[in-house]
């Protein structure tokens, strides 16, 4: 069967495309311009007619996906702005919300074969910065970022503008489903990943052009942007991009997953853990890496403010094991090295 992947040239999406093709699906990817199609076509050349790329110039335009949804059996909607350099919250919110609703609307009108739509949301739509350590679940919604953006507008933290866009986009998807229950022939699955790290296979000509989450990974491990004394205190939760791609495949395959959001997370990290893994990997010389205090990220005294209950994804999707920090770090560093970075 055929799957539509929006924003197919993105860091996560291109892994989703790869996993789908490997599993025998036909894939139609959308990108914003012809120049962004080239790398995809080269990378997946061996799949011949099973891989196609179509141009959707502006995902906020009404009917933008009308043509793209025709003849596909499932949709993975990943396209959404994830950068940290815009003043106006609308620059995040409009493409996030209108893009998501646009996909759903086009699927309602022209997606006669569509059975499942998967939306790549984020833990950004779930987490709030808690006063003390807290474990979040699919029942939680990020009200904090929305409130800050409502109150402060352009002066809100840029990360919260992004988080608000993800929250509003996901909420609008669930509202759409609710309002159109009677007329839709498909169901919705939402995936909520935390920070995504792992090898880069999308088109990134220089480290300065790398996507937001991998920029932090690269800059922390190889550019020493973080104070060494902070490496064991700064962290969050994370998932390897290859696990997230697998979750996207399972999300269209598991019948019983419908009408659910799923947190998919490999667990907590402190940056020190990835630094330690980088030393262990032996890909770059010691002198190229920060040191910090080896092992201190795993010390009993270390607290993780945010963690997630991932039991629902384990139970329903079968996401019960995750790639380790060691494997992720080694594979990323080998890739950076090959690129001469
Ligand atoms: P990338 O920046 O690598 O990819 C984003 C994709 O969305 C690209 O195809 C990009 O197109 C497209 N896009 C961005 N803004 C617009 C816009 N205004 N109009 C149309 N298309 C747009 O990011 P990721 O792969 O990291 O992110 C993919 C999805 O995963 C997003 O929904 C993101 O919110 C979510 N996510 C990411 C996490 C992470 O840590 N990376 C964590 C949790 C969720 P173009 O290349 O043309 O700009």
């Amino acid at each position: 069967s055929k799957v539509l992947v929006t924003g197919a040239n993105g860091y996560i999406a291109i892994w989703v495309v790869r996993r789908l093709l490997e599993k025998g699906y036909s894939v139609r990817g959308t990108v914003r311009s012809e120049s962004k199609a080239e790398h995809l076509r080269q990378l997946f050349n061996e799949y011949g007619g099973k891989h196609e790329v179509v141009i959707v110039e502006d995902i906020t335009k009404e009917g933008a996906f009308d043509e793209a949804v025709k003849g596909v059996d499932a949709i993975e909607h990943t396209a959404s702005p994830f950068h940290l350099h815009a003043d106006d919250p609308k620059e995040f919110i409009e493409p996030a919300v209108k893009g998501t609703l646009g996909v759903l609307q086009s699927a309602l009108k022209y997606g006669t074969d569509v059975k499942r739509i998967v939306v790549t949301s984020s833990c950004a739509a779930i987490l709030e910065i808690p006063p003390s350590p807290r474990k979040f679940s699919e029942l939680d919604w990020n009200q904090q970022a929305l409130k800050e953006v409502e109150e402060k507008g352009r002066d809100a933290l840029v990360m919260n503008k992004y988080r608000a866009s993800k929250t509003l986009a996901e909420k609008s998807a669930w509202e759409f489903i609710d309002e159109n229950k009677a007329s839709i022939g498909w169901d919705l699955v939402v995936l909520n990943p935390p920070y995504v790290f792992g090898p880069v296979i999308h088109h990134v000509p220089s480290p300065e052009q790398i996507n937001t989450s991998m920029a932090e990974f690269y800059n922390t491990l190889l550019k020493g942007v973080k104070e060494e004394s902070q490496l064991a205190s700064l962290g969050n939760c994370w998932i390897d991009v290859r696990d997230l791609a697998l979750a996207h495949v399972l999300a269209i395959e598991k019948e019983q997953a419908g009408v659910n959001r799923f947190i998919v997370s490999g667990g907590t990290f402190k940056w020190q853990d990835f630094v330690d893994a980088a030393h262990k990997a032996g890909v770059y010389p010691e002198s190229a890496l920060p040191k910090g205090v080896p092992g201190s990220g795993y010390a009993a005294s270390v607290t993780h403010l945010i963690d997630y209950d991932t039991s629902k994804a384990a139970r329903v999707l079968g996401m019960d094991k995750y790639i380790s920090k060691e494997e992720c770090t080694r594979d990323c560093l080998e890739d950076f090295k090959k690129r001469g970075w």
Side-chain angles (χ1 to χ4, degrees), residues 1-9 13-30 40 44 47-54 68 71-76 249 252:
S1 55
K2 192 177 226 166
V3 183
L4 177 71
V5 179
T6 68
N9 62 316
I14 199 163
W15 272 107
V16 174
V17 173
R18 173 180 267 186
R19 286 293 183 258
L20 287 167
L21 288 169
E22 284 169 353
K23 289 208 77 178
Y25 291 93
S26 295
V27 177
R28 177 184 295 156
T30 77
L40 277 161
F44 300 126
Y47 292 97
K50 289 195 110 181
H51 174 250
E52 59 175 316
V53 188
V54 300
V72 302
D73 304 279
I75 301 174
E76 314 256 23
V249 175
I252 59 170

Side-chain angles (χ1 to χ4, degrees), residues 7 9 11-12 32 36 78-80 95 121-122 162 166 193-194 196 213:
N9 62 316
Y11 168 57
I12 295 168
R32 286 205 265 188
K36 298 190 178 183
T78 82
S80 200
S121 183
S122 170
Y162 166 71
K166 296 302 287 180
V196 185
S213 58

